[in-house]
Amino acid sequence: MVTAKSMCDTYDANRQICKYVHSTSRGHEAIQLATGMQLLPCDWVSPYYRDDSIMLSIGFQPYELMLQLLAKKEDPFSGGRSYYCHPSSRDENRPFIIHQSSATGMQAIPTTGLAQGIQYLEKTQHNKMPTTDGQLPIVVCSLGDGSVTEGEVSEALQFAVLKQLPIIYLVQDNQWSISASAEEVRAMNAYDYAQGFKGLRRWQCDGSDFIRSYETMAEAIAYTRTERKPALVHAKVPLLGHHTSGVRREFYRSREDLLKHGLYDPLPKLRLLLTDVGIAEHVITDIEKQAEEKVQADFQRAQTAPDPDPRSVEEHVFAPTPITEEKGQRSPKNGEKVLMVDAALHAIEELMEEYPEAILYGQDVGARLGGVFREAATLGEKFGEHRVFNTAIQEAYIVGSTAGLSALGIKPMVEVQFADYIYPGFNQLVTELSKSCYLSNGKFPVGMVLRVPTGAYGGGGPYHSGSVESTLLTIKGIKVVYPSNTADMKGLLKAAFHDPNPVVMLEHKGLYWSKVPGTEDAKMVEPSRDYLLPLGKANIVLAADISRVKKGETVCIITYGMGVYWAKAAAAQFPGQVEIVDLRTLHPLDEEMIFNQVKKHGKVLVLSEEQQNNSFAEALALRITNHCYHFLDARVEVMGALNLPAVPINLVLEAAMLPNAQTVQERIAKLLAY
């Protein structure tokens, strides 16, 4: 406890050196130390941004924490990329820690995903389950009381009690949410709130009293470790430090409030306890002196540690994928033509047969329905509800829980019912998944596949027809795939499964069954079981005649999804003069093929179903212009949908909004006329 206080005091006395924003555990030390001291190396813990006492109690040294404080190269958590007390660790001698973000409350979902994964490994008796002296692991998720009002915390609690997961939610309540007091922002504290979650065992304690904290955590940990059920501990603590180094306590707290909190300082209380039980004063003084000397020595040493190499700044955006070459038979002899939706179904079925760590979940994908597009039909019956199951309407949980599952070696494939409903999951996709590999310095890439039906078709209307690729592509650290036919669907889906990074599969629902006129070619011979198609490889689906190319009488269309079929229909009016490139993957993007084809033809149309303004298609057009300027015979044309806020439900209006073969034909003619 003296070490934690000394660290806080040292940072505050050296504000110019400690220039990066940070918080400390000052006032929270007792409950944090009581928690960490009782965790086992097989456990998982998610500290939040002021939990440096938890870090000390599970074995990390001040020097290691200070390397992150000062953003040094040898920072063991992020390599100088993230804030103080934003740890991640795979050290087998300490509890494991997945990537921790700054967004308060967001850690509840990935951490509950850890508990979900542990339960799955228990049920399947999988060899990936770590234990310590025969003890099964538990998960601890640390939260501030202010974060419990976040909706995503509710999603995590709902899932934990529904599935009865082995997790403890430790809520540290210091009565403040930055400058907002508890009375301003909540109707009840976390202990009272948790009463509404049936099946969640509750404790509360004075988190400034070490003995009470230790006893309470001992009970909660014993309960969760033996009963394998969720619990919540609400600990009331004083806030003795600043909210952060940049938002200091004197900015918003009165002298009376600071004095009131000071009465509950856990350090004098523990010191008094030690003297009461007969510990000599000189022994206590020696402990304090040694702790303070160690902190000062570690701080001096950390200051001289090297900064990160600037050349490392682009490392660990993605973990390397093992799928780099096309393998297997794309069109087996005597193969049977299947629909695109069936190719996806068969791909997942084959993966689940081969890999016991593969699971599938989302809204309505379970045995009763098998997905609203029947894209998971029969899988629930075949693999059981522990591997294929329904979730509630919880897009955030569906997306974010995959971070915890992936950390345990489980491979989740999840579904959001329509692209229009992906937005509640964006917080987790952006805040947690996309940054995990980069900010953990490569320790925790999130291997998951997120399937998203997308696109307009048959009067689906404004909330079932949207295209979201441009929004997705602004997120760095995820991959985005968009197959347009059966073979690509199967090969890309399997490659996505083997990719150790987050992959979003955009699947056009208008191509699922080839019911849209002109999309019959989406139905193809099903590739072999071992077929793999690497992400980032475009495909020429229609080649122009070489003779016309040499005469400068051709145009290249770069497109994907439904655009492939609009382009093919339009190209029929210009025999030999149109080359069509199907991107297949939007990130990573096959720039080499794109630029080569543009240079070859000199005239190019980028075609998309998305609303055109500020779209991926427009961004790609600029990239083409910049890289191929001297080879262009005309400016790069872009065609997308009309710039409307939604797809109208009326079929006539829907058609008026979207590109079609006729409008694409007119744009081709314009380019060829140059």
Side-chain angles (χ1 to χ4, degrees):
M1 205 176 280
V2 175
T3 300
K5 179 181 184 300
S6 182
M7 289 162 62
C8 174
D9 293 343
T10 299
Y11 304 161
D12 212 32
N14 294 273
R15 291 174 62 186
Q16 287 187 319
I17 296 170
C18 305
K19 57 187 176 183
Y20 302 112
V21 65
H22 59 271
S23 298
T24 70
S25 58
R26 194 70 187 94
H28 295 226
E29 299 99 328
I31 186 64
Q32 290 186 21
L33 295 170
T35 301
M37 289 170 67
Q38 301 185 70
L39 297 180
L40 302 177
C42 65
D43 293 333
W44 293 78
V45 60
S46 287
Y48 82 126
Y49 60 84
R50 66 171 75 252
D51 282 359
D52 52 10
S53 284
I54 284 185
M55 298 300 293
L56 293 171
S57 67
I58 63 176
F60 286 95
Q61 296 300 307
Y63 176 69
E64 294 175 282
L65 303 182
M66 291 168 181
L67 287 173
Q68 187 171 50
L69 172 80
L70 302 178
K72 296 296 187 175
K73 176 182 179 180
E74 300 304 322
D75 156 25
F77 311 123
S78 71
R81 295 173 174 184
S82 199
Y83 311 95
Y84 180 66
C85 207
H86 285 61
S88 56
S89 175
R90 284 195 177 274
D91 187 336
E92 294 182 354
N93 299 311
R94 300 161 171 163
F96 301 102
I97 308 171
I98 57 173
H99 157 70
Q100 302 298 298
S101 77
S102 283
T104 55
M106 297 306 98
Q107 71 270 37
I109 286 178
T111 308
T112 304
L114 282 169
Q116 179 187 345
I118 287 171
Q119 185 183 76
Y120 177 75
L121 295 178
E122 283 184 62
K123 286 183 176 179
T124 58
Q125 298 182 327
H126 202 280
N127 58 12
K128 291 182 182 290
M129 171 68 78
T131 59
T132 300
D133 299 327
Q135 296 285 314
L136 290 170
I138 64 167
V139 179
V140 173
C141 179
S142 177
L143 299 157
D145 194 82
S147 71
V148 177
T149 53
E150 282 277 7
E152 293 185 21
V153 175
S154 173
E155 290 194 21
L157 294 174
Q158 287 275 5
F159 198 90
V161 297
L162 176 67
K163 302 294 184 181
Q164 289 292 282
L165 302 179
I167 183 170
I168 299 171
Y169 299 96
L170 170 61
V171 180
Q172 301 173 58
D173 184 0
N174 62 27
Q175 303 288 298
W176 286 98
S177 297
I178 310 184
S179 68
S181 67
E183 292 75 16
E184 290 178 86
V185 297
R186 70 185 193 206
M188 65 200 79
N189 65 31
Y191 182 81
D192 295 332
Y193 179 64
Q195 187 175 12
F197 295 90
K198 295 180 180 180
L200 182 64
R201 183 82 178 269
R202 299 177 299 151
W203 281 266
Q204 59 182 343
C205 68
D206 178 353
S208 69
D209 185 317
F210 179 77
I211 297 297
R212 299 288 83 77
S213 296
Y214 194 94
E215 291 172 343
T216 301
M217 290 308 302
E219 289 182 24
I221 288 171
Y223 169 78
T224 297
R225 199 178 300 282
T226 56
E227 298 295 324
R228 318 303 294 157
K229 293 180 179 180
L232 181 141
V233 175
H234 173 252
K236 191 171 180 179
V237 293
L239 178 59
L240 303 182
H242 307 287
H243 168 68
T244 67
S245 54
V247 182
R248 301 180 66 78
R249 59 192 178 192
E250 58 267 22
F251 293 176
Y252 62 93
R253 296 175 66 186
S254 67
R255 182 173 179 275
E256 291 74 20
D257 178 73
L258 292 169
L259 289 172
K260 179 182 175 182
H261 279 245
L263 296 175
Y264 295 92
D265 188 335
L267 186 54
K269 293 170 75 171
L270 182 57
R271 203 180 196 286
L272 182 61
L273 174 66
L274 294 176
T275 57
D276 285 349
V277 297
I279 306 297
E281 179 69 25
H282 72 88
V283 173
I284 299 173
T285 303
D286 284 347
I287 291 171
E288 292 173 337
K289 182 179 178 182
Q290 290 170 21
E292 290 165 356
E293 288 176 349
K294 178 172 178 55
V295 167
Q296 291 307 312
D298 282 3
F299 186 65
Q300 293 302 317
R301 182 181 166 205
Q303 290 178 60
T304 62
D307 286 326
D309 186 336
R311 292 171 296 182
S312 70
V313 71
E314 292 185 285
E315 294 175 0
H316 304 303
V317 175
F318 292 113
T321 177
I323 310 303
T324 57
E325 296 180 1
E326 188 171 1
K327 296 180 180 178
Q329 292 181 289
R330 182 176 174 89
S331 256
K333 291 181 179 179
N334 304 318
E336 182 182 348
K337 278 193 172 185
V338 301
L339 296 168
M340 201 165 123
V341 70
D342 289 333
L345 173 65
H346 298 162
I348 292 178
E349 183 175 20
E350 290 165 3
L351 288 167
M352 297 190 75
E353 287 172 347
E354 188 172 353
Y355 300 98
E357 62 268 30
I359 63 173
L360 173 70
Y361 59 97
Q363 296 165 29
D364 298 304
V365 302
R368 196 172 293 111
L369 182 60
V372 293
F373 298 102
R374 304 296 287 159
E375 73 280 3
T378 74
L379 297 179
E381 294 92 337
K382 182 165 187 177
F383 297 105
E385 62 181 14
H386 67 296
R387 294 188 67 191
V388 180
F389 57 90
N390 292 327
T391 66
I393 303 171
Q394 294 182 329
E395 288 84 2
Y397 189 86
I398 291 168
V399 173
S401 57
T402 63
L405 289 158
S406 176
L408 286 159
I410 297 167
K411 190 68 181 192
M413 296 176 283
V414 296
E415 295 192 14
V416 168
Q417 213 158 64
F418 293 92
D420 305 84
Y421 301 137
I422 197 174
Y423 296 105
F426 254 59
N427 205 353
Q428 291 291 321
L429 191 63
V430 175
T431 305
E432 307 296 336
L433 273 61
S434 71
K435 295 176 174 61
S436 183
C437 186
Y438 186 72
L439 293 182
S440 69
N441 217 21
K443 291 190 295 295
F444 286 102
V446 180
M448 59 86 79
V449 179
L450 173 58
R451 297 183 63 192
V452 184
T454 188
Y457 156 60
Y463 292 100
H464 297 81
S465 308
S467 295
V468 296
E469 54 264 35
S470 291
T471 310
L472 284 166
L473 290 165
T474 63
I475 307 170
K476 313 309 173 189
I478 67 170
K479 298 185 179 184
V480 181
V481 177
Y482 205 136
S484 68
N485 58 63
T486 287
D488 290 348
M489 170 68 87
K490 188 168 187 180
L492 291 169
L493 183 50
K494 287 203 168 185
F497 175 84
H498 290 291
D499 199 302
N501 303 288
V503 181
V504 180
M505 295 281 300
L506 294 174
E507 304 172 11
H508 200 294
K509 63 184 194 292
L511 299 177
Y512 268 154
W513 299 292
S514 292
K515 288 184 178 179
V516 177
T519 63
E520 294 79 8
D521 288 349
K523 183 179 179 181
M524 300 174 72
V525 171
E526 183 173 1
S528 61
R529 185 185 183 97
D530 61 347
Y531 181 63
L532 292 167
L533 180 59
L535 309 189
K537 300 292 183 183
N539 185 38
I540 298 174
V541 296
L542 180 67
D545 290 346
I546 297 298
S547 61
R548 307 300 291 268
V549 174
K550 290 180 178 179
K551 295 177 182 177
E553 299 174 347
T554 57
V555 63
C556 175
I557 300 180
I558 297 168
T559 188
Y560 55 94
M562 188 62 77
V564 171
Y565 300 94
W566 294 328
K568 287 172 76 171
Q573 305 303 313
F574 306 92
Q577 290 186 276
V578 178
E579 191 138 307
I580 302 172
V581 176
D582 181 357
L583 293 175
R584 303 198 289 200
T585 302
L586 307 186
H587 189 79
L589 190 63
D590 192 348
E591 291 187 345
E592 182 180 2
M593 177 178 280
I594 294 169
F595 298 154
N596 285 342
Q597 297 311 113
V598 170
K599 292 172 183 177
K600 175 180 169 184
H601 298 280
K603 304 182 187 75
V604 60
L605 167 63
V606 181
L607 175 62
S608 167
E609 182 174 327
E610 272 196 304
Q611 292 93 324
Q612 183 173 324
N613 280 11
N614 305 314
S615 65
F616 160 69
E618 286 196 333
L620 178 55
L622 177 62
R623 204 178 311 179
I624 290 169
T625 299
N626 289 340
H627 283 82
C628 306
Y629 179 78
H630 295 292
F631 297 87
L632 293 172
D633 298 325
R635 71 177 180 85
V636 178
E637 291 282 326
V638 181
M639 175 177 264
L642 299 180
N643 297 301
L644 306 177
V647 180
I649 194 169
N650 179 275
L651 286 170
V652 174
L653 296 177
E654 177 189 87
M657 177 184 181
L658 300 175
N660 56 53
Q662 178 60 40
T663 55
V664 174
Q665 181 180 326
E666 292 168 3
R667 198 67 65 92
I668 293 171
K670 175 183 175 182
L671 278 166
L672 290 174
Y674 272 91

